[in-house]
Amino acid sequence: ALQAMVLRELDREAWQKRIFQCAQFLVDNQCKNGQWAYGEPTTYPEPKPEPEIDVKTKYKVFPQRSGPNTGDHSNAQYAILGIRACHESGILFPPEVLKKASQAWRETQTVNKGWSYGPKGNRAYGSMTAGGVAALTILDYLQDADWKQDGAVAGGLEWLKDNILL
């Protein structure tokens, strides 16, 4: 995820095939629960160009395998940042990857609308709640949904307002 973010900033067209490999790693390491863990090496097929849009070439990434059963919010928030960088570099993600990630964040929002490091019901933290709000905002954007109408995002923002002193 971090490598994709750096390469996107350096030169997304020059590094696009390497960014595609970052996307492949992220897709192949998504956990069954929609989150991410630290990940395991994967294989990297040669990307096939998709029709041109705003980057010179678009590449579609496809899952080659499943990741472990569960991950955590800390790794998942970085994965979403990496997915955004890949998307901005012309990498197209399978809709089911984005949907499963959104569902994981929504299902683990605590009763008071924040997020914890672990499963739903644990104490919410400012860092994870900010990560949850950011992740869902990015995922809404990638799925053509209006994050301003997202109740989970609104709840997370409300939690941050009520619990974090500025």
Side-chain angles (χ1 to χ4, degrees), residues 39-127:
E40 297 291 331
T42 192
T43 58
Y44 303 105
E46 184 65 26
K48 296 180 176 88
E50 293 289 323
E52 187 176 314
I53 299 175
D54 64 346
V55 178
K56 194 174 199 179
T57 305
K58 292 271 187 181
Y59 296 113
K60 192 177 287 186
V61 64
F62 297 96
Q64 302 180 110
R65 62 175 173 83
S66 295
N69 288 328
T70 61
D72 60 67
H73 289 134
S74 186
N75 282 301
Q77 69 179 341
Y78 279 101
I80 300 304
L81 291 170
I83 286 171
R84 178 178 177 256
C86 293
H87 172 81
E88 290 175 349
S89 301
I91 310 303
L92 305 172
F93 283 83
E96 60 271 14
V97 168
L98 305 175
K99 183 178 177 183
K100 195 159 67 165
S102 291
Q103 185 177 354
W105 282 101
R106 292 174 199 295
E107 289 176 354
T108 56
Q109 192 169 23
T110 63
V111 294
N112 62 3
K113 303 301 182 194
W115 277 275
S116 67
Y117 285 88
K120 183 176 182 171
N122 290 349
R123 180 177 165 249
Y125 291 88
S127 55

